[in-house]
Structure formats: C-alpha cells, structure tokens
Amino acid sequence: KEQSKVKSEGIMGEKRTVDIIIPVYNALDDLKICVESIKTNTDLTKHNLIILNDKSTDPEVWPYMQSLRGDNIRVFNNEKNLGFSGNINKGIVVSNNDVILLNSDTIVTKEWVEKMASCAYSDPAIGTVTPMSNNATLCSVPKFCEENKLPKGFTVERYAKLIEECSLEQYPSIPVAHGFCMYIK
C-alpha cells in the first residue's frame, strides 16, 4: 500500500489544484446531497467547485446554486440549454487546472480527489481516471455492471472504506471512461 502511494506522489510531484465541474439539470435534492458530500470530503481551500445550471426548469435550482457562491465555488446559469456536453465544455473552458466531471447525483467519499489524482499521475500515459462505484456499470463493485445496493447498516463512507480495504490497489485500463465521475489531466 504505502509503496504505491509514495510512487504516485513522487510522479505527481506537488499536489495539484483540481476544478470539480458539476453539470446540473433539475434534480435539486440529488444536487444538495452531492454538494454536501463534496463539502465534507474535499478541501475547498485547495480545490474549486464549478457548478453549471443548464437552464433547469425547476425554479429552485438556481437560487440554491447562488447560495453556494464562495471563494472557491463558482456558479453559472446558462441562458439556453446546452445539453450535457455543451454544459461541461463551458466548465472546462473556465478552468485552468485538471478537472473532475461529476454528475450531480454522485456522493463522494473521503480523499476522493487525492486518490483520483494519484492514479492519474501514476503513469504519464494516463489521461483520464474513473473511480469505482457501487453503481457505475463497468466500474461497479463488487458486482461488475450491476447496481450494488449498500449492505444493511452501511453508510456510503463505510462501504467505500470496506471496498478500499479489499482492493488490490491496481489501476486497470478500461476501454472507456464512465461519465458519472471522470478526472481529466
């Protein structure tokens, strides 16, 4: 364990600032859970959050997003719907750092940014990183391509810790990135 972490940090060098880009279209309750998980598990004094409203029809989405504005949290409200690709591209354009594209219905866990950056910089040939999840088709664990319900009595954080403890700590190459959460160097 320690050897792979040291190797990755050595290649990665100085810790990088990452811009987390969340495209939003409605789904306010999911967005609130996502943002709370980010605030709990992300150093927002080091990393930035960019949230883009793609002309949601829910009138409560934009006011909630505006309430989040802060030093490292930027929010944008599109005048017309750009679609997923157009919305995330707008976020990438305003970034000067590595980015993580994150669906607004995703819950992140402890050290998630650092773990993805460590993988991304473990090899110069890596361009994107997709983490494992309990519900991300080809990145689903423990059962591949299935929604894995949390075991009874488990929180998302406890389940993530269990999966990490069982992990072989390998970075497998996959044919495509999964859009729910993708680190881009």
Side-chain angles (χ1 to χ4, degrees), residues 24-173:
V24 174
Y25 183 78
N26 293 328
L28 180 59
D29 291 338
D30 288 336
L31 176 62
K32 287 179 178 180
I33 294 167
C34 177
V35 168
E36 283 309 309
S37 74
I38 291 169
K39 286 182 173 182
T40 300
N41 296 299
T42 309
D43 182 353
L44 289 177
T45 64
K46 169 130 178 89
H47 304 296
N48 304 303
L49 185 55
I50 300 169
I51 310 173
L52 302 113
N53 182 25
D54 201 17
K55 198 162 176 63
S56 293
T57 57
D58 180 341
E60 295 180 30
V61 170
W62 180 236
Y64 168 72
M65 287 175 54
Q66 288 177 299
S67 75
L68 298 172
R69 271 197 183 116
D71 291 337
N72 286 23
I73 301 176
R74 297 167 64 192
V75 297
F76 296 89
N77 192 33
N78 297 338
E79 291 183 19
K80 68 177 188 171
N81 185 286
L82 302 176
F84 179 79
S85 296
N87 203 20
I88 60 172
N89 284 337
K90 182 176 177 179
I92 291 170
V93 166
V94 301
S95 173
N96 293 316
N97 301 302
D98 289 359
V99 299
I100 295 176
L101 306 179
L102 185 70
N103 281 1
S104 64
D105 63 349
T106 304
I107 300 172
V108 300
T109 57
K110 188 176 179 182
E111 299 178 351
W112 71 290
V113 173
E114 293 76 13
K115 291 173 188 175
M116 291 179 72
S118 182
C119 177
Y121 286 91
S122 68
D123 185 326
I126 294 174
T128 66
V129 172
T130 300
M132 304 307 286
S133 170
N134 66 309
N135 187 16
T137 59
L138 74 154
C139 296
S140 292
V141 292
K143 294 180 182 172
F144 179 72
C145 286
E146 289 185 29
E147 178 181 352
N148 294 274
K149 300 269 187 209
L150 295 182
K152 188 175 181 176
F154 275 75
T155 62
V156 171
E157 195 66 50
R158 185 170 170 219
Y159 189 64
K161 185 175 181 182
L162 174 66
I163 296 295
E164 188 171 349
E165 288 170 356
C166 297
S167 171
L168 298 176
E169 295 198 22
Q170 297 176 345
Y171 299 140
S173 178

